[in-house]
Amino acid sequence: MAKVILKRQRKKRLEQGHPWIFQSEVDRIEGDITPGDFVDIYNHQGYWLAKGYINPASQIIVRVLTQNPDDELDERFFIERIRQAWAYRERMIPGVRSCRAIYGEADFLPGLIVDKYEDVLAVQILALGMEKRKDWILRGLLDVFAPRAIYLRNDVYVRELEGLEQEKGFWYGEAETEIEIEENGVKYMVDIEGGQKTGFFFDQRQNRAALRPLIGPETTVLDCFTHTGSFTLNACLYGAKHVTAVDISEHAIETAKRNAALNGFSNVDFVVANAFDYLRESVRAGKQWDVVIIDPPAFAKSAHAVPKALRGYKDINLNGLKLVKDGGFFVTSSCSYHVRPHMFEEMVADAAFDAKKVLRQVYWNGAGYDHPKLLAADEGDYLKFAIYEVHSRR
């Protein structure tokens, strides 16, 4: 294999366990390479560090597969990594049938995402090095999961940055593209063909379950940015008296209605509206709920977008806090990686100050067990989720 020699003056991120090597860290490449090839990685003194695959066209020039010199990068290696990823989920979420089964870098398979929906897999291959091993990956998925079908959701722009075309469709077998799954005792219809990402946001599994102690038989709930109704349905499952679910997307609300009907929940008002406007109008109208949930999409796609994103987050959090009954609970979240946890907490504190509220934090979490995080890779630390008890400041 060709050798990638790293610069002397660089942060020792690789040695700490980070799975990416950027162009700016590479001093030189020794030997002939074809994009997607496996390479050995050495420090400036010639000390072997890792093996990975290379793509000179990408800013992430090498993605690391192993730091064990004895590992042979062959089909058996990939199948074993897939098997280990699934064994971890079975251990952490006993009896799980639907979850994120492979989470790229965090499962030491950089550039590969696999979501399991009962006996159907939805797969994203995001890097050239993985694309070149599609046959190995397919055999591993068939060997470990024995799925009825596998659907490719390679319809993402990041593939173009790797020199790959976008595509989607069945890779193996055939199945319906709407699949019924169950999570935390709630049933959902998941659209693996047209849904966002690969069809469902599994990362909030444990956070959805965290609603349980907040809900009683007289509890009223406002769920903004409900999407397909996941927090709403969990609130209903735990016995909420009534839920108001708001989203700007008519398609999302229709899906949420179907999910509510699937579970037999009829105590929900579904509202198609801009959540920013709905929150402001509800404040003006003097409305209040026992529990208010704010779970928006990512507002900051880049570091440059953070100041504007924080203004948007503060707007919805400020008005959301004003809508919580005294002694009630405020549930808030952000999936913007560039809004770091301390920024998010400071934003919530500022919103509470302006809303004349005193907050008591009762729960703080990130993504669930099926979205593990490499300690050395901050890029995996994207989700912030908090529950606060709300008291009015006189």
Side-chain angles (χ1 to χ4, degrees), residues 203-204 207 294-296 300 313 331-345 348 363-367 381-388:
D203 52 2
Q204 295 271 32
N207 300 331
I294 306 285
D295 180 31
Y313 282 124
V331 181
T332 184
S333 182
S334 166
C335 59
S336 297
Y337 157 70
H338 294 284
V339 175
R340 309 304 300 138
H342 72 277
M343 298 179 190
F344 185 70
E345 286 192 297
V348 173
Y363 182 86
W364 175 273
N365 200 15
D381 189 18
Y382 68 99
L383 184 63
K384 285 79 57 183
F385 181 90
I387 299 175
Y388 299 98

Side-chain angles (χ1 to χ4, degrees), residues 195-217:
Q196 292 189 30
K197 304 289 186 179
T198 61
F200 189 75
F201 295 104
F202 282 119
D203 52 2
Q204 295 271 32
R205 174 193 304 269
Q206 288 156 247
N207 300 331
R208 290 189 269 262
L211 294 184
R212 183 188 290 270
L214 315 185
I215 308 297

Side-chain angles (χ1 to χ4, degrees), residues 142-366:
L142 295 177
D143 187 45
V144 173
F145 297 101
R148 179 162 55 103
I150 304 175
Y151 193 86
L152 282 176
R153 281 300 302 267
N154 288 340
D155 54 336
V156 285
Y157 173 69
V158 70
R159 280 177 59 89
E160 295 183 18
L161 301 178
E162 289 279 316
L164 301 169
E165 293 183 356
Q166 295 191 38
E167 60 176 348
K168 70 176 181 178
F170 281 103
W171 187 17
Y172 168 83
E174 283 195 14
E176 63 282 1
T177 55
E178 286 196 337
I179 301 166
E180 182 181 317
I181 68 167
E182 185 172 314
E183 179 198 84
N184 300 341
V186 176
K187 297 174 183 176
Y188 302 88
M189 291 303 299
V190 176
D191 180 0
I192 62 170
E193 180 180 29
Q196 292 189 30
K197 304 289 186 179
T198 61
F200 189 75
F201 295 104
F202 282 119
D203 52 2
Q204 295 271 32
R205 174 193 304 269
Q206 288 156 247
N207 300 331
R208 290 189 269 262
L211 294 184
R212 183 188 290 270
L214 315 185
I215 308 297
E218 297 301 316
T219 304
T220 58
V221 179
L222 172 62
D223 177 19
C224 285
F225 306 95
T226 190
H227 191 231
T228 55
S230 58
F231 280 103
T232 286
L233 299 174
N234 277 265
C236 290
L237 177 71
Y238 301 141
K241 180 180 180 180
H242 187 270
V243 182
T244 303
V246 181
D247 200 280
I248 197 170
S249 166
E250 289 188 22
H251 180 264
I253 287 292
E254 285 304 313
T255 304
K257 286 180 179 178
R258 289 177 62 197
N259 285 335
L262 185 65
N263 289 276
F265 300 142
S266 58
N267 55 332
V268 184
D269 283 339
F270 290 101
V271 180
V272 177
N274 181 313
F276 284 83
D277 297 336
Y278 186 88
L279 288 163
R280 292 190 199 103
E281 289 163 7
S282 296
V283 170
R284 283 197 293 268
K287 295 182 180 179
Q288 287 201 313
W289 287 264
D290 297 299
V291 177
V292 173
I293 302 167
I294 306 285
D295 180 31
F299 288 171
K301 300 292 187 181
S302 68
H304 297 297
V306 167
K308 183 179 179 181
L310 286 171
R311 290 193 293 272
Y313 282 124
K314 184 177 178 183
D315 188 342
I316 54 176
N317 280 265
L318 171 63
N319 288 307
L321 283 165
K322 290 178 179 179
L323 296 172
V324 181
K325 292 179 182 176
D326 200 32
F329 293 94
F330 183 59
V331 181
T332 184
S333 182
S334 166
C335 59
S336 297
Y337 157 70
H338 294 284
V339 175
R340 309 304 300 138
H342 72 277
M343 298 179 190
F344 185 70
E345 286 192 297
E346 288 170 8
M347 176 277 301
V348 173
D350 288 344
F353 179 84
D354 290 353
K356 296 184 178 179
K357 303 292 183 182
V358 174
L359 304 186
R360 181 162 72 157
Q361 183 177 299
V362 297
Y363 182 86
W364 175 273
N365 200 15

Side-chain angles (χ1 to χ4, degrees), residues 12-19 67 108 374 376-377:
K12 301 298 188 286
R13 298 180 321 112
L14 174 59
E15 290 88 337
Q16 293 168 343
H18 200 290
Q67 297 194 42
F108 311 105
L374 293 177

